[in-house]
Amino acid sequence: MKLNLKQKNKRKTESFVIFAYLFVFSLFIFSANISTVKCVVAGEMRVAIPKDAPFIKFHLNPPGTLGYDDFVVSFNSDGSMSFDFSRGVDGKSYGFQPNSRYEWAALFSIENLEDKPLDYKIMNQGLKYLGVEDGTTGIPFIINGENQKEWATINAKGKTSIKVYFEIPAEATLETIEGTLFILFDRPEDNGDNNDDGDDDSDFNNGSTPGEIIYSSSISSSIDKIKLLDGALIDRMFGYISLSEPVYLTKATPKITLVYDKEVLQPNSKRVPRVYYWNEEIEKWIALASYEKENGQVEAINDGEYQGWFNVFGIIEPKFLDVNDHWAEPVVNRMNGLGIVEGYPEDGLLRYIKLDQNITRAEFTSLLYRILNINPDRPILEKYTLQEARNILAEYYLDAGEIPEWVVSDVAALTKEGLTASGNQQFIANKPITRVEAAVMASKALALFKEHQPLDLSVFNDAKDIPDWSRNSLAKGVIAGYPDGTFRPDEFLTRAEALTVLKRVFINGLGF
């Protein structure tokens, strides 16, 4: 059939329109494909599997489960699971679209293999827009990337699923979110509470059991790199061995028991395991009083009600031979880990501490200096050369020449800062320090960090004996009275009492 010119032009026009439509449509499809790749959130999530935790078992949903094929899962060499949410089953990158919700009602499951309930929670490190819940109870662990305080329970011989979802906001643009989920288990020891220090644990009524064993979970290498660098420990001796991987605790229990790798210590017989916690403000690991136990466990006293990251390190430190059964042993243990107290050498690292011996003014000043300058990156007091210190002391004390050389710089630094407690123009370095003199020095140190809260002297039966020169300086939370209600201001301070006072400055003042 022949077409006239008008029909030909009409058909040509129609063909052009169809071609143009198809061209535009193809551009739309191409653009949509580009949009799918670029205007999305790409999500990669790692789930750390706790090491040496025979009481639990992890299960992945079988292929074919609804939503399972929307991501790619793999197992890493350390046993952790990785989920790549940006990839589809066809191998192409899709990711998450803005203004959308992506949900997996049971991404994986946890089975409790024991005949008793098991508390657990899941924490997030780095993942935005993320929500995680216990699939059985609906208890939320993570909301919009933020960790929550709730714990969930898996019944004895029970199993629970883990619900994971992403809420992608409308304004989301090209970005990659990646991070790690790590799992904490609150599992009481079989022998119950080992807290035998005589303290009342009722202040820690948070549903946890003192003495709980915390099983480490592998976490992202970025945490290791940031927090395990040389110089990251507050320690007296350079070098350390990491015996476990950091764990994150949200409960301030009085005692914590961490699991560590004993085999790592075998070729390092001089090192002992000690628990440290991570101080976010100064970015340092700080020692806790620690006690090695059997089966690769170490127990720590959480005397500062700390929460957050904890780890076990193998370190070198003195061993004191005369602290067993002494009331101040936990204090000495903590101060030993911090490198504050050295003791009197006996044979290498074997030393005596002589806790019931009176402490001199020079010794107390030196220990207080160490506390205030415990962070080498942020010292509180000036460090003076010997000659600079001598010149300073000559301005203040008639007996400046009699101050021993080993403590001259420390005394000069505290004197210049106005922290000494001298009622006259003599320092009298080798005289035992009195309780009121030590209390004044510690109170002045505390005032460097927090507002001065006066000590209520009326609570002491012998308040009239407290000298007038000291009354306005004494601060709350530095020194406690005796069981009979007395302060005994003029009695000499023992080394055990001095370390107790200094620990209060360390915790209440520095906040470490």
Side-chain angles (χ1 to χ4, degrees), residues 4 6 23 25 43 60 162 165-166 206 218 244 256 271 303 337 377 381 426 432 457 472 501:
N4 58 34
K6 185 175 183 180
F23 179 75
F25 181 76
L60 279 174
I162 306 302
Y165 61 90
F166 289 86
N206 51 21
S218 300
S244 69
I256 303 165
R271 298 186 181 274
D303 53 9
D377 297 336
L381 302 177
Q426 296 188 39
L457 303 182
N472 292 332
V501 168

Side-chain angles (χ1 to χ4, degrees), residues 158-182:
K159 187 177 179 181
T160 189
S161 59
I162 306 302
K163 178 180 177 179
V164 173
Y165 61 90
F166 289 86
E167 294 273 8
I168 311 302
E171 64 274 14
T173 56
L174 176 62
E175 60 180 319
T176 298
I177 57 171
E178 56 186 359
T180 301
L181 298 184
F182 51 98

Side-chain angles (χ1 to χ4, degrees), residues 41 47 50 78 155 157 178 199 262 280 338 343 356 417 440 477:
V41 176
V47 179
D78 61 359
N155 294 329
K157 296 293 185 180
E178 56 186 359
D199 292 334
K262 289 189 68 173
E280 294 287 352
L338 296 172
D356 295 322
E417 193 68 34
V440 166

Side-chain angles (χ1 to χ4, degrees), residues 23-40 92-98:
F23 179 75
V24 171
F25 181 76
S26 65
L27 285 180
F28 175 79
I29 294 297
F30 182 74
S31 298
N33 216 19
I34 293 297
S35 175
T36 302
V37 175
K38 289 190 174 181
C39 297
V40 299
K92 296 180 180 179
S93 295
Y94 294 96
F96 299 149
Q97 297 296 315

Side-chain angles (χ1 to χ4, degrees), residues 150-424:
E150 288 80 0
W151 288 68
T153 300
I154 308 175
N155 294 329
K157 296 293 185 180
K159 187 177 179 181
T160 189
S161 59
I162 306 302
K163 178 180 177 179
V164 173
Y165 61 90
F166 289 86
E167 294 273 8
I168 311 302
E171 64 274 14
T173 56
L174 176 62
E175 60 180 319
T176 298
I177 57 171
E178 56 186 359
T180 301
L181 298 184
F182 51 98
I183 305 171
L184 308 182
F185 292 97
D186 187 354
R187 180 174 178 265
E189 292 182 277
D190 292 336
N191 58 358
D193 184 3
N194 287 333
N195 189 356
D196 56 2
D197 56 9
D199 292 334
D200 181 7
D201 294 330
S202 59
D203 291 342
F204 298 91
N205 185 19
N206 51 21
S208 61
T209 303
E212 64 185 351
I213 302 177
I214 306 298
Y215 286 82
S216 302
S217 296
S218 300
I219 59 173
S220 63
S221 59
S222 60
I223 295 293
D224 296 339
K225 291 177 181 178
I226 292 173
K227 299 184 177 180
L228 300 181
L229 297 173
D230 289 340
L233 268 67
I234 294 291
D235 195 20
R236 61 162 58 79
M237 298 181 185
F238 181 79
Y240 58 87
I241 300 174
S242 183
L243 301 180
S244 69
E245 297 190 20
V247 292
Y248 195 94
L249 306 182
T250 59
K251 296 183 182 180
T253 57
K255 290 186 178 181
I256 303 165
T257 303
L258 299 184
V259 178
Y260 70 98
D261 191 346
K262 289 189 68 173
E263 294 183 2
V264 178
L265 276 184
Q266 290 181 355
N268 299 277
S269 57
K270 290 185 178 181
R271 298 186 181 274
V272 296
R274 183 176 285 275
V275 176
Y276 285 69
Y277 78 93
W278 179 256
N279 185 290
E280 294 287 352
E281 181 179 351
I282 67 170
E283 297 186 334
K284 298 281 185 181
W285 289 103
I286 300 176
L288 297 178
S290 303
Y291 303 87
E292 185 176 3
K293 303 177 69 176
E294 296 180 352
N295 303 322
Q297 300 172 14
V298 57
E299 183 181 76
I301 298 178
N302 190 4
D303 53 9
E305 301 184 36
Y306 306 110
Q307 302 176 26
W309 292 103
F310 292 79
N311 204 354
V312 183
F313 295 101
I315 51 95
I316 298 176
E317 63 183 16
K319 179 179 181 181
F320 299 120
L321 302 172
D322 55 346
V323 298
N324 291 341
D325 301 323
H326 196 284
W327 65 265
E329 191 283 330
V331 177
V332 176
N333 191 310
R334 179 93 193 270
M335 290 301 192
N336 186 17
L338 296 172
I340 299 300
V341 60
E342 298 295 340
Y344 300 94
E346 174 66 16
D347 180 16
L349 293 175
L350 297 178
R351 303 178 185 181
Y352 289 95
I353 189 68
K354 302 180 181 180
L355 290 174
D356 295 322
Q357 176 178 295
N358 293 334
I359 190 169
T360 67
R361 293 167 59 83
E363 290 172 332
F364 186 82
T365 299
S366 179
L367 291 177
L368 183 55
Y369 177 89
R370 293 182 191 177
I371 285 287
L372 295 178
N373 278 18
I374 192 169
N375 182 4
D377 297 336
R378 303 180 192 176
I380 304 300
L381 302 177
E382 291 287 339
K383 179 66 176 179
Y384 296 109
T385 65
L386 181 61
Q387 188 56 53
E388 290 172 337
R390 287 290 187 195
N391 294 338
I392 291 172
L393 296 179
E395 299 176 9
Y396 288 86
Y397 305 115
L398 297 175
D399 62 343
E402 300 175 19
I403 298 176
E405 184 172 315
W406 65 269
V407 77
V408 162
S409 295
D410 299 351
V411 176
L414 267 76
T415 299
K416 195 71 173 177
E417 193 68 34
L419 302 183
T420 53
S422 179
N424 50 45

